[in-house]
Amino acid sequence: MSSHTASSSNGGNGSGDSGAPRRNSKRPKYSKFTQQELPACKPILTPRWVVSAFMIIAIVFIPIGIACLLGSRDVVEVAKQYETDCIPPANRSSKVQYIQSSADKTCTISMTIPKRMDKPIYVYYQLDNFYQNHRRYVKSRSDKQLKSLSKENDTSGCKPEDFADGGRAIVPCGLIAWSMFNDTYSFSSQNKSLTVNKKGIAWKSDKEKRFGKDVLPKNFQGGGLQGGAKLNDTVPLNEQEDLMVWMRTAALPTFRKLYGKIEVDLEANEVINVTLMNNYNTYSFNGKKKLVLSTTSWIGGRNDFLGIAYLTVGMICLALAMGFTVVYFVKPRRLGDPTFLSWNRGPGSQ
């Protein structure tokens, strides 16, 4: 008994000793933020609030969707698939052998303009089943080499197109540049040639920051197997806009890239004759090629998805608002009615 008393007495003296060291506490300093005591708005979702929110969304989204669809429908677009038509009938059973041969691959197709097309008219080439987003393909390039002359030997990420015969560095290196699209198009109408302007088709940031003005192509397509287009060795990379457009890899296997612009108006029912060189090999991977002529509107090119998405969300919200309104008037219930609680709806509830 006495021992317990003594220990309690000693503990009391120790705790009351002002000279004892104070223990460090991990307790945070009090504030309303750390204790989650800041003023907060906690709205109660009453039927009127829910119906009003859905109606506001519907009122905003439906007109936007209609405007986007009308803007998309204002775009005049003509597309022509030609990878089969430009193979002679006798060679259509062996397309790969034909495209890899030295035979003349000149082809002529025609396109009829359905509606008046106001300038500028954008010329695109479209490839299907071409996976530019493949990991090895995307990584096979050297941004340092493209930007600076001092880094022309930096080909560490460009395999297998890093060095030409004799161990000389390829500029630009990598699979992306090696596989550059090389079909060419020339247009005419009513026996008059239509000039295609190929300036200003690349991004300004690419020309000024990503491709060097002192970097010239070297040893390009100098290996045993030619992949695609050749580059002019006397023109710096920041002026070769076809290359810059191609080097921006696409995220999907079906994509379009800008070829140039036609700076004259085209009238309805006008027939455009196209003489093209069918050089690019899409037959090895069952790919497709299309030539596309298109105008633009305030929304850009033709794309109905945005308008359809806005209309779909708006119509769903409108239907939900009307449905909740009908339920609210046909079968109303008091807000916060405790009889709807699960423990009040059992067999033994009163």
Side-chain angles (χ1 to χ4, degrees):
M1 187 73 179
S2 60
S3 62
H4 288 292
T5 305
S7 61
S8 298
S9 175
N10 291 336
N13 293 336
S15 62
D17 187 3
S18 60
R22 188 175 181 179
R23 295 179 60 188
N24 293 327
S25 175
K26 295 183 178 179
R27 181 178 180 181
K29 184 179 179 180
Y30 172 81
S31 69
K32 290 186 177 182
F33 176 76
T34 58
Q35 298 303 316
Q36 300 184 13
E37 295 178 357
L38 291 173
C41 177
K42 300 177 181 179
I44 299 175
L45 297 179
T46 64
R48 292 182 180 179
W49 274 105
V50 173
V51 171
S52 299
F54 280 127
M55 284 298 296
I56 291 173
I57 295 175
I59 292 171
V60 172
F61 275 42
I62 291 176
I64 293 177
I66 294 174
C68 290
L69 273 180
L70 292 177
S72 178
R73 298 295 168 85
D74 287 339
V75 176
V76 183
E77 182 178 294
V78 187
K80 178 71 173 182
Q81 184 174 331
Y82 65 87
E83 79 282 346
T84 301
D85 294 340
C86 286
I87 296 289
N91 300 102
R92 290 181 182 176
S93 60
S94 55
K95 298 177 181 178
V96 176
Q97 289 79 1
Y98 171 78
I99 202 69
Q100 292 178 346
S101 68
S102 58
D104 183 20
K105 302 178 182 66
T106 305
C107 176
T108 302
I109 59 175
S110 61
M111 307 174 72
T112 303
I113 307 302
K115 295 170 58 178
R116 176 182 168 86
M117 302 180 74
D118 296 327
K119 62 181 181 181
I121 300 165
Y122 295 91
V123 181
Y124 299 92
Y125 56 88
Q126 176 176 316
L127 297 180
D128 294 356
N129 201 35
F130 191 113
Y131 289 83
Q132 275 198 319
N133 59 352
H134 192 283
R135 180 174 178 269
R136 186 178 182 186
Y137 184 87
V138 172
K139 292 181 64 178
S140 184
R141 62 185 294 164
S142 174
D143 289 321
K144 293 181 180 178
Q145 184 199 63
L146 296 173
K147 187 177 181 179
S148 175
L149 178 62
S150 62
K151 300 291 185 179
E152 68 174 15
N153 292 321
D154 185 353
T155 60
S156 57
C158 294
K159 293 182 180 180
E161 292 298 319
D162 48 356
F163 292 102
D165 298 338
R168 298 168 299 170
I170 298 174
V171 182
C173 65
L175 287 173
I176 305 177
W178 175 79
S179 61
M180 181 179 165
F181 188 77
N182 63 340
D183 283 7
T184 59
Y185 312 103
S186 59
F187 300 85
S188 63
S189 176
Q190 300 175 357
N191 297 323
K192 294 181 180 179
S193 177
L194 299 176
T195 303
V196 179
N197 182 11
K198 306 194 73 172
K199 295 293 184 181
I201 62 174
W203 289 21
K204 184 179 179 181
S205 58
D206 287 350
K207 291 188 286 187
E208 295 180 352
K209 297 180 180 180
R210 300 188 65 182
F211 291 81
K213 61 182 179 180
D214 57 349
V215 182
L216 298 174
K218 292 182 180 179
N219 309 313
F220 188 67
Q221 302 291 9
L225 180 63
Q226 180 175 338
K230 295 184 178 181
L231 299 177
N232 190 338
D233 295 342
T234 63
V235 179
L237 294 186
N238 73 326
E239 296 180 14
Q240 307 217 25
E241 299 193 35
D242 284 335
L243 173 67
M244 289 182 261
V245 171
W246 179 258
M247 293 290 285
R248 281 204 166 268
T249 53
L252 300 176
T254 298
F255 58 86
R256 292 178 180 179
K257 291 184 181 292
L258 187 59
Y259 181 83
K261 295 178 287 185
I262 297 176
E263 304 285 358
V264 296
D265 299 334
L266 300 179
E267 301 298 332
N269 300 320
E270 187 174 350
V271 178
I272 306 299
N273 297 311
V274 185
T275 302
L276 61 90
M277 293 296 295
N278 183 31
N279 296 318
Y280 201 69
N281 182 11
T282 58
Y283 308 100
S284 299
F285 52 89
N286 295 321
K288 298 178 182 179
K289 295 189 284 188
K290 287 184 181 180
L291 174 62
V292 181
L293 304 181
S294 177
T295 60
T296 58
S297 66
W298 63 269
I299 199 174
R302 171 166 288 185
N303 185 0
D304 293 341
F305 173 78
L306 188 61
I308 293 174
Y310 270 108
L311 277 178
T312 301
V313 174
M315 296 300 292
I316 291 174
C317 290
L318 180 61
L320 290 174
M322 295 176 64
F324 286 145
T325 301
V326 171
V327 172
Y328 177 68
F329 284 107
V330 172
K331 193 178 179 181
R333 69 179 179 89
R334 185 165 56 91
L335 185 65
D337 191 348
T339 60
F340 284 88
L341 297 173
S342 60
W343 54 84
N344 289 336
R345 300 178 66 180
S349 62
Q350 296 180 354

